[in-house]
Amino acid sequence: MNDLKNKKVIITGGSRGIGLSVLSNIYEQGGEILTIGSNLSNLENLKKNFPNIKIEQLNLKNPNEVLNQFPKFIDTLGGLDILVNNAGITMDNLTLRMKEDEWNNVIDVNLSSVFFTCQTAIKAMIKNKSGCIVNITSVVGHTGNAGQANYTASKAGVVAMTKSLAKEYAKKNIRINCVSPGFIATDMTKDLKEEYKNELLKNIPINRLGTGEDIANAVVFLCSDKSSYITGETIHVNGGMYMA
């Protein structure tokens, strides 16, 4: 699958975990990549392994910063064919204990920034007369999860928003879809207690945690011409944990 060669791609949160797997896959196919992150040191280390990529630091919690900087990133890249919104945070707490900033920070990064990057990307893609956006959601955005009212709301919001955007811009030849990972072996899950992992596996028919590559394969498919008749959809990659 070489559909992505020379495609201009922006990935948020591409320095580790799922984002890194997506970046690596697209990089191998010859995509021209700019990745956005909050940690400059991580971005600089990433560039050592992927010397041809461009890196930009951005605070996704700040909508004004996103709106001001994102168009500049598109100019730096020389255009935009594909946007992958992967960046996300968790600030878990039970609802009655959840602080205002725990709610706001998660919503700002996981939902609001996705809207504003999509908004800016769509403007560029309309000029190109084509484009593709993939938003990374989560299985818990469909099932709910105790202690994650903020996170689940943000991820469910991304799914609904993606459907609306897909309907608005399909006639402009812009496809917008989601990939919804289940529990994936990343830095965010490596510290889970063994007994909790075992409980998780009981609910996963395939009986393993997913890998970043599992998610990257779905993302690359949605970015490629092989998915040219798919928009407004969510591909669930969760080992059977949740079957839509």
Side-chain angles (χ1 to χ4, degrees):
M1 193 185 293
N2 294 312
D3 295 355
L4 307 187
K5 187 174 182 180
N6 298 323
K7 294 289 187 180
K8 299 183 185 301
V9 183
I10 291 180
I11 304 170
T12 69
S15 65
R16 61 194 183 106
I18 289 171
L20 177 57
S21 295
V22 172
L23 183 148
S24 178
N25 198 314
I26 295 176
Y27 187 87
E28 288 175 3
Q29 293 191 43
E32 298 178 23
I33 300 170
L34 183 151
T35 190
I36 295 167
S38 59
N39 187 307
L40 184 58
S41 177
N42 287 346
L43 291 170
E44 290 172 344
N45 287 333
L46 180 70
K47 193 166 174 61
K48 293 176 184 177
N49 295 321
F50 301 93
N52 293 333
I53 68 170
K54 294 178 171 61
I55 57 173
E56 294 286 354
Q57 188 178 23
L58 183 65
N59 177 14
L60 291 172
K61 293 179 186 177
N62 187 329
N64 290 328
E65 192 170 333
V66 174
L67 287 168
N68 288 332
Q69 295 300 317
F70 203 78
K72 297 177 184 178
F73 299 161
I74 295 174
D75 290 342
T76 296
L77 192 57
L80 184 63
D81 299 301
I82 296 166
L83 169 63
V84 180
N85 275 308
N86 168 74
I89 63 170
T90 58
M91 298 183 74
D92 298 349
N93 213 338
L94 293 174
T95 298
L96 295 184
R97 297 176 183 173
M98 188 170 288
K99 299 177 177 63
E100 185 177 356
D101 66 332
E102 292 173 334
W103 173 267
N104 288 336
N105 287 341
V106 171
I107 296 297
D108 287 345
V109 174
N110 296 3
L111 179 58
S112 297
S113 78
V114 174
F115 173 77
F116 291 121
T117 57
C118 285
Q119 185 183 55
T120 306
I122 287 167
K123 291 177 184 177
M125 291 174 177
I126 288 173
K127 292 180 182 178
N128 295 346
K129 299 183 178 179
S130 68
C132 175
I133 298 173
V134 179
N135 297 321
I136 305 299
T137 62
S138 170
V139 64
V140 298
H142 306 272
T143 64
N145 200 34
Q148 289 194 310
N150 50 3
Y151 185 77
T152 56
S154 71
K155 293 301 185 179
V158 167
V159 173
M161 180 179 68
T162 296
K163 292 177 181 180
S164 296
L165 296 178
K167 287 188 174 185
E168 288 181 21
Y169 297 102
K171 290 182 180 178
K172 298 293 185 181
N173 199 29
I174 299 170
R175 297 186 300 105
I176 309 169
N177 293 289
C178 291
V179 172
S180 182
F183 282 88
I184 307 301
T186 67
D187 289 343
M188 290 179 73
T189 58
K190 71 179 182 180
D191 294 329
L192 293 176
K193 293 180 180 179
E194 200 62 33
E195 56 266 31
Y196 184 63
K197 285 185 182 179
N198 291 335
E199 284 299 313
L200 283 177
L201 292 175
K202 290 179 183 179
N203 296 312
I204 302 174
I206 288 182
N207 198 39
R208 68 170 175 86
L209 296 182
T211 67
E213 191 65 19
D214 291 326
I215 309 305
N217 289 337
V219 172
V220 167
F221 167 69
L222 288 174
C223 292
S224 76
D225 293 340
K226 296 183 186 299
S227 63
S228 62
Y229 200 53
I230 300 174
T231 195
E233 291 296 330
T234 297
I235 294 183
H236 296 271
V237 186
N238 57 44
M241 180 181 179
Y242 169 79
M243 300 182 184

